Amino acid sequence: MSHRFCIAPMMDWTDRHCRVLHRLLSRHARLYTEMVTAEAAIRGDRQRLLGYTASEHPVALQLGGAEPARLAEAARIGADFGYDEINLNVGCPSDRVQSGRFGACLMREPELVGECLAAMVAAVNIQVTLKCRIGVDEQDPEVSLRAMLAAAAAAGVGVVAVHARKAWLEGLSPKQNRDVPPLDYELVYRIKRENPALMIVINGGIARLDEAESHLAHVDGVMLGRAAYQSPAQLAEVDARFFHGATQNLDDAVARYVAYVSEQCAHGVPLHAMTKHMLGIL
């Protein structure tokens, strides 16, 4: 049940204020940070990059990187901060990420990903997970996805979130990569049947909770991205529909978030940094 319903890590969107709002709408959805590079976690302002509100649990830290030792160190830092999970990004297609040899381009290097994951697993006592694509560019997803999952399983990783479309690293922008390459849910379903012991969470193009529920006939969990951010009111039904809990009262959640915003403003947080996450709620 831990990953039955997740909200995807999204750069510039799922910051700590966004996650507080989403937690008010669902007590049980698993939340993810924006991607933080291993180097930033090690060398940067940790409180600014990794700080979160206690109410966010269960919350996962997503890391980006390609050096096993540095990822292991960053994972230890995340564990010391109290995160419930450390997730490795093997799905982001941006030019900046590619230039750092991490993100989706690592789909071409499953052995290296396995080494990174194994180092992270050895470094912490909390769950280490993977988020990947089904392939990149001219790769055959039937081959590339299986190779990636085999590497993850060999490293001791038991949960993989799969964005069910390729990433085109040449010729498409990161925005286009969220829509243009075709989705292949059936491949992810087949992969789950082949790997019954591996928890597979499906991601990509899921807009409504009805769609999310239909995927659970084939995989272990679902991960909503833009739909959760742009139409957050639907998150109030997540606990009732996915966790045998209660529907959250939307008005009450908004009122509690307004109180949170007021408190944060008193500590110098800019108002727009928090209200922007509410734009789609009504």
Side-chain angles (χ1 to χ4, degrees):
M1 294 285 284
S2 63
H3 291 79
R4 186 171 172 82
F5 189 95
C6 309
I7 299 176
M10 292 175 280
M11 292 298 294
D12 301 320
W13 288 9
T14 51
D15 63 21
R16 61 188 301 173
H17 309 301
C18 173
R19 298 192 306 267
V20 166
L21 175 61
H22 288 174
R23 177 58 67 225
L24 289 170
L25 294 166
S26 169
R27 298 179 186 275
H28 302 293
R30 181 153 292 230
L31 307 180
Y32 286 76
T33 69
E34 303 168 269
M35 184 190 69
V36 178
T37 67
E39 288 303 312
I42 294 167
R43 300 161 63 91
D45 181 341
R46 294 178 184 175
Q47 191 56 48
R48 180 179 63 82
L49 293 167
L50 305 179
Y52 62 91
T53 304
S55 65
E56 293 174 39
H57 291 291
V59 59
L61 169 65
Q62 187 183 66
L63 293 175
E67 297 181 22
R70 303 301 274 174
L71 282 164
E73 184 176 353
R76 281 192 290 269
I77 292 167
D80 289 344
F81 261 78
Y83 281 97
D84 301 290
E85 168 190 336
I86 307 294
N87 178 266
L88 180 62
N89 181 318
V90 185
C92 181
S94 78
D95 292 339
R96 181 173 63 85
V97 166
Q98 289 182 60
S99 67
R101 196 190 171 206
F102 55 92
C105 64
L106 285 175
M107 289 298 298
R108 299 190 183 111
E109 301 185 75
E111 291 183 2
L112 175 58
V113 172
E115 293 171 10
C116 292
L117 291 169
M120 295 164 70
V121 168
V124 299
N125 293 319
I126 60 174
Q127 194 170 45
V128 173
T129 65
L130 174 70
K131 187 171 189 292
C132 66
R133 294 280 186 140
I134 61 174
V136 295
D137 298 338
E138 298 302 330
Q139 282 186 319
D140 180 353
E142 298 278 356
V143 176
S144 57
L145 182 56
R146 286 182 173 88
M148 187 58 64
L149 295 191
V157 168
V159 180
V160 179
V162 181
H163 186 156
R165 69 172 98 234
K166 275 187 177 183
W168 284 96
L169 303 181
E170 299 291 339
L172 292 183
S173 69
K175 181 178 181 181
Q176 290 171 317
N177 263 297
R178 294 193 291 265
D179 296 299
V180 174
L183 288 156
D184 191 349
Y185 295 139
E186 291 297 329
L187 172 59
V188 182
Y189 298 165
R190 292 197 299 276
I191 290 292
K192 172 57 191 176
R193 291 195 295 269
E194 295 169 12
N195 297 273
L198 197 60
M199 180 175 285
I200 300 294
V201 179
I202 199 164
N203 171 233
I206 304 169
R208 297 183 300 277
L209 298 189
D210 288 344
E211 296 173 43
E213 282 189 300
S214 69
H215 285 296
L216 290 175
H218 307 280
V219 294
D220 303 291
V222 292
M223 179 179 278
L224 260 67
R226 285 170 293 162
Y229 188 89
Q230 294 169 345
S231 303
Q234 64 182 320
L235 299 179
E237 299 180 26
V238 163
D239 292 352
R241 295 181 67 164
F242 296 89
F243 296 100
H244 309 295
T247 298
Q248 300 301 308
N249 183 284
L250 185 60
D251 291 339
D252 181 56
V254 169
R256 285 183 289 161
Y257 188 66
V258 168
Y260 167 83
V261 168
S262 178
E263 177 186 301
Q264 293 297 307
C265 282
H267 288 93
V269 178
L271 179 64
H272 70 86
M274 296 172 284
T275 54
K276 66 181 182 180
H277 302 305
M278 300 180 70
L279 291 178
I281 202 163
L282 300 178

mmCIF file of all heavy atoms in Angstrom, residues 10 15 22 25 46 65 74 87 90 93 95 121 127 129 152 156-157 178 192 195 205 212 218 231 234 242 268-269 277:
data_model
loop_
_atom_site.group_PDB
_atom_site.id
_atom_site.type_symbol
_atom_site.label_atom_id
_atom_site.label_comp_id
_atom_site.label_asym_id
_atom_site.label_seq_id
_atom_site.Cartn_x
_atom_site.Cartn_y
_atom_site.Cartn_z
ATOM 1 N N MET A 10 8.292 16.968 -9.496
ATOM 2 C CA MET A 10 8.195 17.881 -10.639
ATOM 3 C C MET A 10 9.001 19.142 -10.354
ATOM 4 O O MET A 10 8.721 19.861 -9.387
ATOM 5 C CB MET A 10 6.727 18.238 -10.916
ATOM 6 C CG MET A 10 5.906 17.064 -11.430
ATOM 7 S SD MET A 10 4.147 17.456 -11.617
ATOM 8 C CE MET A 10 3.574 17.313 -9.915
ATOM 9 N N ASP A 15 7.657 21.799 -4.566
ATOM 10 C CA ASP A 15 8.497 22.281 -3.475
ATOM 11 C C ASP A 15 7.790 22.018 -2.147
ATOM 12 O O ASP A 15 6.702 21.436 -2.103
ATOM 13 C CB ASP A 15 8.852 23.758 -3.669
ATOM 14 C CG ASP A 15 7.629 24.680 -3.651
ATOM 15 O OD1 ASP A 15 6.558 24.295 -3.120
ATOM 16 O OD2 ASP A 15 7.734 25.804 -4.174
ATOM 17 N N HIS A 22 -0.642 19.451 -0.765
ATOM 18 C CA HIS A 22 -1.057 18.110 -1.184
ATOM 19 C C HIS A 22 -1.282 17.188 0.011
ATOM 20 O O HIS A 22 -2.193 16.356 -0.015
ATOM 21 C CB HIS A 22 -0.016 17.521 -2.134
ATOM 22 C CG HIS A 22 -0.018 18.175 -3.477
ATOM 23 N ND1 HIS A 22 0.909 17.896 -4.453
ATOM 24 C CD2 HIS A 22 -0.848 19.106 -4.019
ATOM 25 C CE1 HIS A 22 0.658 18.612 -5.529
ATOM 26 N NE2 HIS A 22 -0.399 19.358 -5.291
ATOM 27 N N LEU A 25 -4.617 17.620 1.445
ATOM 28 C CA LEU A 25 -5.669 17.032 0.608
ATOM 29 C C LEU A 25 -5.684 15.512 0.679
ATOM 30 O O LEU A 25 -6.696 14.884 0.389
ATOM 31 C CB LEU A 25 -5.488 17.486 -0.839
ATOM 32 C CG LEU A 25 -5.706 18.985 -1.070
ATOM 33 C CD1 LEU A 25 -5.166 19.398 -2.434
ATOM 34 C CD2 LEU A 25 -7.186 19.334 -0.953
ATOM 35 N N ARG A 46 21.753 22.985 2.654
ATOM 36 C CA ARG A 46 20.914 21.807 2.862
ATOM 37 C C ARG A 46 19.535 22.145 3.396
ATOM 38 O O ARG A 46 18.541 21.520 2.994
ATOM 39 C CB ARG A 46 21.629 20.811 3.792
ATOM 40 C CG ARG A 46 22.880 20.221 3.164
ATOM 41 C CD ARG A 46 23.598 19.274 4.113
ATOM 42 N NE ARG A 46 24.852 18.813 3.508
ATOM 43 C CZ ARG A 46 25.738 18.063 4.140
ATOM 44 N NH1 ARG A 46 25.515 17.691 5.399
ATOM 45 N NH2 ARG A 46 26.861 17.680 3.527
ATOM 46 N N GLY A 65 22.074 12.093 -10.282
ATOM 47 C CA GLY A 65 23.516 11.932 -10.287
ATOM 48 C C GLY A 65 23.905 10.650 -10.992
ATOM 49 O O GLY A 65 23.043 9.855 -11.388
ATOM 50 N N ALA A 74 24.957 11.544 -0.641
ATOM 51 C CA ALA A 74 23.737 12.357 -0.663
ATOM 52 C C ALA A 74 22.567 11.595 -0.055
ATOM 53 O O ALA A 74 21.722 12.179 0.641
ATOM 54 C CB ALA A 74 23.419 12.771 -2.098
ATOM 55 N N ASN A 87 14.927 8.386 -3.848
ATOM 56 C CA ASN A 87 14.596 7.963 -5.203
ATOM 57 C C ASN A 87 15.648 8.476 -6.173
ATOM 58 O O ASN A 87 16.082 9.626 -6.075
ATOM 59 C CB ASN A 87 13.211 8.510 -5.590
ATOM 60 C CG ASN A 87 12.805 8.162 -7.007
ATOM 61 O OD1 ASN A 87 13.026 8.934 -7.937
ATOM 62 N ND2 ASN A 87 12.218 6.998 -7.180
ATOM 63 N N VAL A 90 16.083 8.651 -13.197
ATOM 64 C CA VAL A 90 16.621 8.176 -14.475
ATOM 65 C C VAL A 90 15.564 8.454 -15.545
ATOM 66 O O VAL A 90 15.258 7.627 -16.391
ATOM 67 C CB VAL A 90 16.995 6.680 -14.415
ATOM 68 C CG1 VAL A 90 17.659 6.218 -15.710
ATOM 69 C CG2 VAL A 90 17.973 6.418 -13.264
ATOM 70 N N PRO A 93 14.664 14.508 -19.047
ATOM 71 C CA PRO A 93 15.319 14.635 -20.347
ATOM 72 C C PRO A 93 15.956 15.998 -20.622
ATOM 73 O O PRO A 93 16.371 16.254 -21.757
ATOM 74 C CB PRO A 93 14.158 14.403 -21.310
ATOM 75 C CG PRO A 93 12.991 15.042 -20.610
ATOM 76 C CD PRO A 93 13.223 14.823 -19.130
ATOM 77 N N ASP A 95 18.334 19.288 -21.140
ATOM 78 C CA ASP A 95 19.714 19.433 -21.591
ATOM 79 C C ASP A 95 20.670 19.572 -20.419
ATOM 80 O O ASP A 95 21.774 19.019 -20.429
ATOM 81 C CB ASP A 95 19.850 20.665 -22.501
ATOM 82 C CG ASP A 95 19.109 20.484 -23.824
ATOM 83 O OD1 ASP A 95 18.853 19.324 -24.193
ATOM 84 O OD2 ASP A 95 18.801 21.496 -24.463
ATOM 85 N N VAL A 121 21.721 1.845 -1.625
ATOM 86 C CA VAL A 121 21.106 0.835 -0.750
ATOM 87 C C VAL A 121 22.035 0.507 0.415
ATOM 88 O O VAL A 121 21.597 0.374 1.570
ATOM 89 C CB VAL A 121 20.756 -0.426 -1.557
ATOM 90 C CG1 VAL A 121 20.389 -1.582 -0.633
ATOM 91 C CG2 VAL A 121 19.608 -0.143 -2.535
ATOM 92 N N GLN A 127 14.224 3.039 2.431
ATOM 93 C CA GLN A 127 13.958 2.504 1.100
ATOM 94 C C GLN A 127 14.624 3.344 0.015
ATOM 95 O O GLN A 127 14.557 4.570 0.030
ATOM 96 C CB GLN A 127 12.441 2.477 0.881
ATOM 97 C CG GLN A 127 11.978 1.653 -0.285
ATOM 98 C CD GLN A 127 10.470 1.483 -0.263
ATOM 99 O OE1 GLN A 127 9.719 2.440 -0.034
ATOM 100 N NE2 GLN A 127 10.012 0.270 -0.479
ATOM 101 N N THR A 129 14.555 3.750 -4.146
ATOM 102 C CA THR A 129 13.706 3.426 -5.280
ATOM 103 C C THR A 129 14.244 4.081 -6.550
ATOM 104 O O THR A 129 15.157 4.898 -6.507
ATOM 105 C CB THR A 129 12.252 3.891 -5.038
ATOM 106 O OG1 THR A 129 12.226 5.326 -4.958
ATOM 107 C CG2 THR A 129 11.697 3.295 -3.746
ATOM 108 N N ALA A 152 18.076 -2.759 -11.362
ATOM 109 C CA ALA A 152 17.512 -2.276 -10.104
ATOM 110 C C ALA A 152 17.282 -3.422 -9.131
ATOM 111 O O ALA A 152 17.638 -3.331 -7.946
ATOM 112 C CB ALA A 152 16.204 -1.536 -10.378
ATOM 113 N N GLY A 156 19.054 -4.529 -5.217
ATOM 114 C CA GLY A 156 18.258 -4.586 -4.004
ATOM 115 C C GLY A 156 17.125 -3.591 -3.935
ATOM 116 O O GLY A 156 16.550 -3.359 -2.873
ATOM 117 N N VAL A 157 16.781 -3.008 -5.083
ATOM 118 C CA VAL A 157 15.671 -2.051 -5.146
ATOM 119 C C VAL A 157 14.371 -2.806 -5.415
ATOM 120 O O VAL A 157 14.298 -3.611 -6.341
ATOM 121 C CB VAL A 157 15.929 -1.002 -6.251
ATOM 122 C CG1 VAL A 157 14.684 -0.179 -6.544
ATOM 123 C CG2 VAL A 157 17.082 -0.099 -5.841
ATOM 124 N N ARG A 178 6.983 15.327 -22.363
ATOM 125 C CA ARG A 178 5.887 14.911 -21.490
ATOM 126 C C ARG A 178 4.644 14.527 -22.277
ATOM 127 O O ARG A 178 3.700 13.991 -21.697
ATOM 128 C CB ARG A 178 5.552 16.034 -20.503
ATOM 129 C CG ARG A 178 6.667 16.333 -19.508
ATOM 130 C CD ARG A 178 6.189 17.205 -18.367
ATOM 131 N NE ARG A 178 5.868 18.568 -18.792
ATOM 132 C CZ ARG A 178 6.703 19.589 -18.721
ATOM 133 N NH1 ARG A 178 7.934 19.397 -18.265
ATOM 134 N NH2 ARG A 178 6.345 20.797 -19.103
ATOM 135 N N LYS A 192 5.383 -5.953 -15.292
ATOM 136 C CA LYS A 192 4.904 -6.326 -13.961
ATOM 137 C C LYS A 192 4.605 -7.819 -13.899
ATOM 138 O O LYS A 192 4.960 -8.491 -12.923
ATOM 139 C CB LYS A 192 3.665 -5.499 -13.594
ATOM 140 C CG LYS A 192 2.986 -5.958 -12.310
ATOM 141 C CD LYS A 192 3.935 -5.943 -11.118
ATOM 142 C CE LYS A 192 3.338 -6.646 -9.918
ATOM 143 N NZ LYS A 192 4.284 -6.734 -8.773
ATOM 144 N N ASN A 195 7.692 -9.681 -13.440
ATOM 145 C CA ASN A 195 8.430 -9.393 -12.203
ATOM 146 C C ASN A 195 7.453 -9.256 -11.037
ATOM 147 O O ASN A 195 7.289 -8.166 -10.469
ATOM 148 C CB ASN A 195 9.238 -8.099 -12.357
ATOM 149 C CG ASN A 195 10.302 -8.183 -13.426
ATOM 150 O OD1 ASN A 195 11.419 -8.611 -13.182
ATOM 151 N ND2 ASN A 195 9.945 -7.769 -14.645
ATOM 152 N N GLY A 205 0.768 10.555 -18.293
ATOM 153 C CA GLY A 205 -0.499 10.765 -18.981
ATOM 154 C C GLY A 205 -1.741 10.428 -18.177
ATOM 155 O O GLY A 205 -2.840 10.401 -18.739
ATOM 156 N N ALA A 212 -6.499 6.277 -12.889
ATOM 157 C CA ALA A 212 -5.535 5.718 -11.943
ATOM 158 C C ALA A 212 -6.024 4.389 -11.395
ATOM 159 O O ALA A 212 -5.265 3.411 -11.321
ATOM 160 C CB ALA A 212 -5.295 6.715 -10.805
ATOM 161 N N HIS A 218 -3.435 -3.849 -13.034
ATOM 162 C CA HIS A 218 -2.266 -4.404 -13.725
ATOM 163 C C HIS A 218 -0.941 -4.145 -13.011
ATOM 164 O O HIS A 218 0.020 -4.888 -13.222
ATOM 165 C CB HIS A 218 -2.182 -3.798 -15.131
ATOM 166 C CG HIS A 218 -3.436 -3.920 -15.922
ATOM 167 N ND1 HIS A 218 -3.801 -5.076 -16.566
ATOM 168 C CD2 HIS A 218 -4.437 -3.016 -16.156
ATOM 169 C CE1 HIS A 218 -4.955 -4.897 -17.181
ATOM 170 N NE2 HIS A 218 -5.366 -3.662 -16.952
ATOM 171 N N SER A 231 -4.935 20.168 -11.110
ATOM 172 C CA SER A 231 -6.299 19.949 -10.612
ATOM 173 C C SER A 231 -6.236 19.297 -9.232
ATOM 174 O O SER A 231 -6.676 18.159 -9.038
ATOM 175 C CB SER A 231 -7.090 19.059 -11.581
ATOM 176 O OG SER A 231 -7.120 19.613 -12.873
ATOM 177 N N GLN A 234 -8.995 17.080 -6.835
ATOM 178 C CA GLN A 234 -9.290 15.649 -6.917
ATOM 179 C C GLN A 234 -8.505 14.853 -5.872
ATOM 180 O O GLN A 234 -8.890 13.729 -5.522
ATOM 181 C CB GLN A 234 -9.022 15.114 -8.316
ATOM 182 C CG GLN A 234 -7.585 15.177 -8.777
ATOM 183 C CD GLN A 234 -7.424 14.663 -10.205
ATOM 184 O OE1 GLN A 234 -8.051 13.680 -10.609
ATOM 185 N NE2 GLN A 234 -6.598 15.352 -10.985
ATOM 186 N N PHE A 242 -8.294 5.032 -2.578
ATOM 187 C CA PHE A 242 -7.106 4.199 -2.703
ATOM 188 C C PHE A 242 -6.596 3.620 -1.390
ATOM 189 O O PHE A 242 -5.802 2.682 -1.395
ATOM 190 C CB PHE A 242 -5.978 4.999 -3.364
ATOM 191 C CG PHE A 242 -6.268 5.418 -4.767
ATOM 192 C CD1 PHE A 242 -6.906 6.614 -5.039
ATOM 193 C CD2 PHE A 242 -5.928 4.599 -5.830
ATOM 194 C CE1 PHE A 242 -7.188 6.995 -6.343
ATOM 195 C CE2 PHE A 242 -6.201 4.967 -7.133
ATOM 196 C CZ PHE A 242 -6.841 6.169 -7.388
ATOM 197 N N GLY A 268 8.788 35.440 6.639
ATOM 198 C CA GLY A 268 9.483 36.035 5.511
ATOM 199 C C GLY A 268 9.369 35.300 4.195
ATOM 200 O O GLY A 268 10.004 35.689 3.215
ATOM 201 N N VAL A 269 8.566 34.239 4.127
ATOM 202 C CA VAL A 269 8.387 33.526 2.859
ATOM 203 C C VAL A 269 7.480 34.370 1.955
ATOM 204 O O VAL A 269 6.405 34.814 2.389
ATOM 205 C CB VAL A 269 7.756 32.138 3.089
ATOM 206 C CG1 VAL A 269 7.523 31.434 1.753
ATOM 207 C CG2 VAL A 269 8.659 31.290 3.984
ATOM 208 N N HIS A 277 0.617 27.520 -5.860
ATOM 209 C CA HIS A 277 0.247 26.109 -5.866
ATOM 210 C C HIS A 277 -1.255 25.893 -5.750
ATOM 211 O O HIS A 277 -1.744 24.778 -5.944
ATOM 212 C CB HIS A 277 0.961 25.384 -4.715
ATOM 213 C CG HIS A 277 2.460 25.504 -4.783
ATOM 214 N ND1 HIS A 277 3.184 25.142 -5.895
ATOM 215 C CD2 HIS A 277 3.359 25.959 -3.873
ATOM 216 C CE1 HIS A 277 4.470 25.359 -5.662
ATOM 217 N NE2 HIS A 277 4.601 25.854 -4.466
#
